[in-house]
Amino acid sequence: MRFSILIISFFFFFRAEAQIIQVKGQITDKSTGQPVHGVTIGFEHSSVKTSSDAKGLYHLQSGDKVKHIIFHSIGYHKLRLQIPAGQIHQMDIQLEPNSQDLSEVSISVAHKPRYKNKNNPAVELIRQVIEHKKSNAANLQNYLSYQEYEKLNISLSMATEKAKTSKLLKKLSFLKDNSDSITRPGRVLTPIFMKEKMSHNLVYQNPFKQESTVLAENQSRIDQFIDEDGINEYLDKIYQRVDIYQNDIGIGNQSFMSPISDLAPQFYKYFIIDTLKDVSPIQIKLMIAPRNKEDVLFLGYLYISLDGKYAVQKATLSVNSKININWVKDMNISLDYHQDKTGHYYLGKSIMAMDLGLFKEGASLYGERTLFINDFVSSATALNQTLKLKPGGSAKPIAMEELRPEKLTPIEQMAYKNIDSLKNSKPFKRAMGIASFLLSGYIGQGKVEVGPFNSFYSFNPVEGLRLKVGGRTTDLFSKRVFFDGHIAYGTRDRKWKYSLGTVLSLSPGSIYEFPVKSLTLRHSYETQIPGQDLNFLEDDNFLLSFKRGINDKWLYNRKWLLEYLHETKDHFSFKVAYKNQILDPAGGLRFIALNSSGPAEVQDITNSEFTGEVRWAPHEQFYQGKRFRRPIRNEYPIFTLRGSIGVRGFLNGDYNYQNLTFNVFKRAYFSQFGYSDVILEAGKVFGKVPFPLLTIHRANQSYAYELPSYNLMNFMEFLSDKYASVNLEHNFNGFILNKVPLVKRLQLREIITLKVLYGSLSSKNDPTQNSGLYQFPQDRHGRIMSSGLGSAPYMEGSVGLSNIFKILRVDLVRRLTYLDNPHISKWGIRAKIKVDF
């Protein structure tokens, strides 16, 4: 999870009035030791009251003279305590269950017994819920139609006492005037982001297809400071829809097991707390808690009907304070289920509140996402529904006030006011400029940006010290025409390198706005390591300058590229391009042609190539910004088919050949057991070509871990004209280490990987068996450095730990085959920055 939503909180401080009496603490069940939610707390002879949250925490304050505090909840004995002298008190309370209120299905114990599933009425009840889940859940039906209202409010949150000392707030007095100190006792909330959307949705399950139209939308925006469209995607990823009728619930990059999933009784504890007879049908209040506090599971209550359907009517959820999840200081979820005309239950209203912060104390971000769903149909009649459209077309949207199911609260109304004021605030502009620089690596908020800063300085054996400066235009210059370029100079080779490109959007939106239709023209003269095409990272990133082993065989690449990209709303895309390259060997690389007349050095290769790519990514999601787009990994596969044709004689091309590659990426979630990333790839080169035009398998000689690369393979070590590979990476998300005493406090997460590469080199492309080809690269002692793969595959594996200091991943990598090759490493330690939720 990236930090854009956290950087927005530039740690404003707030001022609030001092309180005469403050009482806070935690309320737990005396029998089970679990937190008690919904306890009413109030001062005697006073109208001041509050209730405990899902963690049993409460905070109560009053300016009146009070002597006693009262705790009351259904199913527990009422408790009246005297308040000691003083102003601030910490009172942790244990409430004793009142067995007479719990009817015939309730339990009462004098001590905390060992928890067991066997002969446990609470577990027997939850098994009935699981058994009836499919017949109860509306979201599992084949046809759905519904109207959805969504609002998301983000506020800066600061402890009341610390808000009093704020210096920055004095410069931003309007924030103090538009703050709220009531919603969360002891905290001051200042809203800074507000988004509302009303939409109509049609869903077909087999095969899955969803159609939707936005009826109305409001959003507070801060315009050019940062890529707000991207922030929207980040927030949507964090504040995802929570529905316990799904087996797994995604929040951020984590997958929470539902308390009513098939495997839930193996991971959750269940306690019958109360029988609610004042509702129809009668409901059982069931407490849920994780067996292991560090596991990614919920804590809270379920309300289950006793009408024979065993449906979950309501749920209040939170998380344990010891859970292995980052940045979350507090989380509270409220779910209300409604019954449609067919008897199925759908999520009619949900509220998800989350407090995110870097530190346990200090400023944080408090967000609340509310969903209302109405006009819900979960039967074949949904097929007869048509999408509701904006009256008068998209040029005249409906006012949100006409559709909003409930009025905005005062704090939500404040959000729109605060954003308007922040736009004109100089301190805020400076903070957003810094945030934009840290996120993108580019400096500037005008028509041109300079960057990226992480490649201004780098070094390598061929160029020596490499100095580079670059820039790009922004959407202030044009939303449809984009220019970028750079110049670089190497102190060792004393050569200037450069790149200049332009992208023209052929659709009404920008070159990043999905779906894209664009035309690209680019010319460059740059260095390149053969076989290294790091599309996911700047080739001259400073951190990649540090490499192990021999790294002196490079290319100078003078390239022209013309490319057309076409994407569809169904996430099907195709790309066609023409590329002309002149490849000059650099450093220790030489092109030595082995002919019948003897070896002869070749100065360069001209490659004239037509390429095409077809890509299908069903239900793909991405962070969509004004100046970037990054994929969000989900459970759906991504298929990519690439092909290229080299044409001899066309614009000086030297070789005829064809190249075909097929790639599949898939992420699979296994609930509490983590998730796996799988990459399958196969390729073949048709034709007789020298080694620079073969498949040079992607190696990694840096100390940064790279999933798509082989981290203990040397550059140009293996070449193929036919290959197949599989890369497996499984993230346990702490499933094992969360259960190890003492170690679990570190909240580490385990990762294992295995990479297997099969390949072969036909005799027509082997210079030892066929003349007219180039000699494979050699080291300074004349030993061959490159070869085809033999009958055995190349294999490497690793074990790693992530979430070290919440930002670092470290892997111990082991090479398993071809251990006798020269200049190789059998073991290695690799690290990378990995920020996860």
Side-chain angles (χ1 to χ4, degrees):
M1 185 184 73
R2 294 175 61 85
F3 288 105
S4 51
I5 57 172
L6 295 173
I7 295 176
I8 295 178
S9 56
F10 201 62
F11 304 117
F12 298 113
F13 296 83
F14 312 98
R15 175 177 296 174
E17 296 181 356
Q19 307 299 325
I20 297 176
I21 297 293
Q22 295 187 52
V23 183
K24 60 182 179 179
Q26 185 180 36
I27 304 172
T28 56
D29 186 299
K30 189 175 182 179
S31 299
T32 66
Q34 298 295 329
V36 182
H37 168 68
V39 177
T40 300
I41 308 108
F43 293 120
E44 191 174 44
H45 307 306
S46 172
S47 61
V48 178
K49 296 182 184 300
T50 189
S51 60
S52 58
D53 63 18
K55 293 183 179 180
L57 300 175
Y58 72 95
H59 185 281
L60 193 65
Q61 58 190 28
S62 175
D64 301 329
K65 292 182 179 181
V66 292
K67 295 182 179 180
H68 293 87
I69 187 170
I70 297 173
F71 300 85
H72 175 68
S73 180
I74 296 176
Y76 293 92
H77 287 290
K78 187 176 182 179
L79 189 62
R80 177 177 178 269
L81 298 175
Q82 185 174 353
I83 301 172
Q87 290 183 326
I88 301 177
H89 306 282
Q90 177 76 28
M91 299 180 70
D92 294 329
I93 304 301
Q94 287 187 323
L95 292 184
E96 185 176 354
N98 183 354
S99 59
Q100 294 180 350
D101 289 346
L102 302 184
S103 189
E104 66 276 5
V105 295
S106 300
I107 58 173
S108 177
V109 293
H111 64 280
K112 186 177 180 180
R114 182 181 179 184
Y115 183 85
K116 296 186 298 183
N117 277 357
K118 188 176 182 181
N119 299 322
N120 186 334
V123 176
E124 293 174 4
L125 175 63
I126 206 67
R127 292 196 190 281
Q128 290 290 340
V129 174
I130 295 171
E131 183 178 340
H132 289 78
K133 179 173 61 175
K134 187 173 182 179
S135 61
N136 284 327
N139 67 300
L140 299 178
Q141 307 312 306
N142 287 331
Y143 313 108
L144 305 176
S145 172
Y146 58 91
Q147 190 164 294
E148 179 180 275
Y149 168 77
E150 169 198 356
K151 63 179 177 181
L152 176 61
N153 180 28
I154 305 291
S155 300
L156 293 171
S157 175
M158 173 61 69
T160 303
E161 292 299 320
K162 290 195 174 184
K164 297 177 181 179
T165 60
S166 171
K167 295 181 179 179
L168 289 176
L169 186 58
K170 295 178 180 179
K171 300 178 181 179
L172 304 170
S173 58
F174 61 88
L175 289 178
K176 178 181 66 175
D177 297 335
N178 292 321
S179 296
D180 170 38
S181 58
I182 299 175
T183 301
R184 303 196 73 208
R187 308 287 294 185
V188 175
L189 301 180
T190 302
I192 59 169
F193 178 91
M194 182 68 187
K195 181 179 74 170
E196 297 178 90
K197 183 170 70 174
M198 176 67 81
S199 62
H200 182 222
N201 302 269
L202 299 177
V203 180
Y204 311 96
Q205 301 285 10
N206 295 309
F208 181 85
K209 182 180 179 181
Q210 180 168 349
E211 300 177 14
S212 63
T213 184
V214 177
L215 303 177
E217 190 170 17
N218 282 345
Q219 181 173 337
S220 56
R221 299 187 67 87
I222 51 179
D223 297 328
Q224 297 300 324
F225 298 110
I226 49 179
D227 281 317
E228 294 170 87
D229 296 329
I231 286 183
N232 286 344
E233 299 295 340
Y234 291 133
L235 294 175
D236 288 343
K237 179 72 172 177
I238 296 169
Y239 293 91
Q240 294 184 51
R241 180 195 298 265
V242 176
D243 186 351
I244 62 171
Y245 278 101
Q246 297 175 335
N247 283 330
D248 296 299
I249 300 165
I251 300 179
N253 293 324
Q254 296 286 356
S255 180
F256 284 72
M257 175 182 284
S258 167
I260 63 172
S261 73
D262 296 342
L263 293 176
Q266 308 305 318
F267 296 92
Y268 280 99
K269 295 180 181 180
Y270 302 91
F271 304 92
I272 295 176
I273 299 299
D274 200 0
T275 303
L276 307 180
K277 296 183 177 181
D278 57 345
V279 295
S280 180
I282 295 174
Q283 297 177 9
I284 294 294
K285 182 180 180 181
L286 193 71
M287 176 188 289
I288 63 168
R291 290 174 177 263
N292 186 67
K293 295 180 180 180
E294 286 77 14
D295 283 346
V296 182
L297 297 167
F298 290 113
L299 175 74
Y301 298 90
L302 305 181
Y303 296 79
I304 301 167
S305 66
L306 288 183
D307 57 353
K309 290 190 173 183
Y310 298 97
V312 176
Q313 308 266 346
K314 180 181 176 182
T316 57
L317 306 173
S318 183
V319 292
N320 192 288
S321 60
K322 295 183 179 180
I323 190 173
N324 189 347
I325 190 169
N326 294 329
W327 325 121
V328 178
K329 301 171 70 174
D330 192 17
M331 181 195 298
N332 291 285
I333 301 169
S334 173
L335 307 175
D336 287 299
Y337 289 89
H338 299 166
Q339 200 170 16
D340 68 3
K341 294 180 180 180
T342 63
H344 297 109
Y345 288 85
Y346 66 93
L347 185 62
K349 180 181 179 181
S350 73
I351 301 175
M352 180 183 188
M354 196 183 306
D355 199 359
L356 302 172
L358 287 171
F359 309 103
K360 291 183 178 180
E361 302 295 336
S364 61
L365 279 174
Y366 178 79
E368 189 171 280
R369 186 189 191 208
T370 303
L371 287 178
F372 284 92
I373 294 178
N374 51 40
D375 296 341
F376 192 93
V377 179
S378 65
S379 64
T381 57
L383 291 173
N384 301 324
Q385 302 286 326
T386 56
L387 285 177
K388 298 177 181 179
L389 301 176
K390 300 174 183 179
S394 59
K396 187 180 180 181
I398 308 173
M400 182 63 73
E401 289 75 12
E402 300 177 27
L403 299 173
R404 190 182 288 133
E406 66 177 13
K407 293 183 178 180
L408 295 181
T409 64
I411 189 173
E412 290 167 343
Q413 294 174 3
M414 292 176 191
Y416 291 115
K417 297 179 182 178
N418 284 350
I419 286 295
D420 290 339
S421 300
L422 281 171
K423 289 179 182 179
N424 300 316
S425 166
K426 291 183 179 181
F428 182 77
K429 288 180 179 181
R430 287 195 295 268
M432 290 302 98
I434 295 173
S436 178
F437 170 70
L438 293 176
L439 289 172
S440 67
Y442 284 83
I443 303 172
Q445 298 176 7
K447 295 182 179 181
V448 177
E449 296 177 323
V450 178
F453 74 95
N454 56 8
S455 61
F456 283 171
Y457 167 82
S458 60
F459 55 89
N460 61 69
V462 174
E463 296 177 277
L465 173 64
R466 175 185 168 97
L467 302 175
K468 172 183 169 183
V469 61
R472 64 183 185 183
T473 60
T474 71
D475 52 347
L476 288 178
F477 173 82
S478 173
K479 289 187 177 181
R480 299 190 59 188
V481 181
F482 173 88
F483 292 96
D484 74 312
H486 71 259
I487 56 172
Y489 181 77
T491 59
R492 176 172 295 177
D493 64 358
R494 298 183 180 180
K495 289 189 176 183
W496 288 95
K497 295 89 182 177
Y498 58 85
S499 174
L500 180 63
T502 181
V503 184
L504 171 65
S505 175
L506 302 179
S507 59
S510 75
I511 61 169
Y512 301 110
E513 185 177 339
F514 178 84
V516 173
K517 294 180 184 177
S518 65
L519 187 66
T520 300
L521 177 63
R522 183 174 302 279
H523 175 57
S524 63
Y525 177 66
E526 265 296 354
T527 54
Q528 177 186 334
I529 301 175
Q532 301 303 108
D533 185 16
L534 302 178
N535 293 325
F536 54 91
L537 203 60
E538 288 286 333
D539 294 1
D540 52 2
N541 185 295
F542 172 73
L543 295 178
L544 295 182
S545 298
F546 300 92
K547 291 183 171 63
R548 61 175 176 84
I550 299 173
N551 177 32
D552 65 343
K553 294 175 174 55
W554 288 54
L555 293 169
Y556 292 112
N557 187 350
R558 191 179 302 275
K559 179 168 66 176
W560 285 93
L561 174 68
L562 179 64
E563 178 181 274
Y564 172 72
L565 171 64
H566 186 109
E567 295 179 337
T568 70
K569 292 184 178 180
D570 294 328
H571 296 277
F572 177 87
S573 65
F574 67 88
K575 186 188 298 182
V576 292
Y578 171 74
K579 179 172 60 177
N580 188 282
Q581 301 179 103
I582 301 176
L583 305 177
D584 297 323
L589 186 65
R590 296 289 183 271
F591 292 164
I592 306 295
L594 301 176
N595 300 312
S596 56
S597 58
E601 186 166 352
V602 179
Q603 296 300 316
D604 58 54
I605 297 174
T606 300
N607 184 30
S608 181
E609 182 180 271
F610 292 91
T611 64
E613 177 182 295
V614 178
R615 183 176 183 271
W616 184 43
H619 313 298
E620 184 178 31
Q621 298 171 290
F622 30 71
Y623 300 128
Q624 176 70 72
K626 290 190 288 288
R627 302 163 202 169
F628 72 93
R629 191 173 79 181
R630 299 186 181 94
I632 299 174
R633 297 303 184 194
N634 56 29
E635 67 272 24
Y636 297 101
I638 300 174
F639 303 92
T640 307
L641 177 65
R642 302 183 185 92
S644 59
I645 300 175
V647 182
R648 183 177 182 178
F650 182 76
L651 296 181
N652 301 316
D654 290 331
Y655 294 94
N656 287 319
Y657 63 89
Q658 299 83 41
N659 194 331
L660 195 64
T661 304
F662 181 63
N663 179 284
V664 180
F665 173 87
K666 175 74 170 73
R667 171 165 289 183
Y669 289 94
F670 301 97
S671 191
Q672 290 303 293
F673 303 99
Y675 64 90
S676 293
D677 286 336
V678 182
I679 301 176
L680 302 175
E681 186 170 290
K684 183 174 176 59
V685 178
F686 301 88
K688 179 181 177 181
V689 292
F691 73 83
L693 301 182
L694 293 172
T695 298
I696 303 176
H697 296 291
R698 180 179 291 161
N700 176 28
Q701 288 186 212
S702 74
Y703 296 97
Y705 187 86
E706 296 174 4
L707 176 62
S709 304
Y710 300 97
N711 291 282
L712 288 181
M713 182 186 290
N714 290 335
F715 293 138
M716 301 183 66
E717 184 177 358
F718 293 107
L719 310 96
S720 300
D721 56 15
K722 182 172 63 175
Y723 72 96
S725 66
V726 56
N727 286 2
L728 303 174
E729 177 176 285
H730 185 75
N731 292 260
F732 286 96
N733 271 349
F735 178 76
I736 300 172
L737 296 180
N738 285 346
K739 299 170 180 60
V740 180
L742 299 180
V743 175
K744 62 184 181 181
R745 297 183 179 181
L746 300 175
Q747 296 193 329
L748 301 175
R749 301 172 186 174
E750 323 85 338
I751 302 174
I752 60 172
T753 68
L754 177 64
K755 301 180 181 182
V756 181
L757 170 66
Y758 282 92
S760 63
L761 187 65
S762 61
S763 59
K764 66 180 177 182
N765 287 316
D766 187 343
T768 63
Q769 302 182 50
N770 204 325
S771 63
L773 297 172
Y774 294 177
Q775 176 181 283
F776 283 162
Q778 300 178 349
D779 65 11
R780 65 184 65 181
H781 302 294
R783 288 179 297 185
I784 299 295
M785 300 291 294
S786 302
S787 67
L789 286 158
S791 58
Y794 174 84
M795 298 175 61
E796 68 177 41
S798 71
V799 293
L801 293 176
S802 68
N803 211 41
I804 301 172
F805 308 120
K806 300 187 185 300
I807 62 170
L808 184 64
R809 167 181 170 174
V810 177
D811 286 74
L812 175 64
V813 189
R814 167 66 175 175
R815 178 166 167 153
L816 303 175
T817 56
Y818 296 96
L819 303 180
D820 296 328
N821 282 13
H823 309 295
I824 63 101
S825 299
K826 297 179 181 180
W827 294 90
I829 295 178
R830 302 291 179 265
K832 67 178 295 185
I833 300 297
K834 187 175 189 289
V835 181
D836 244 337
F837 196 64

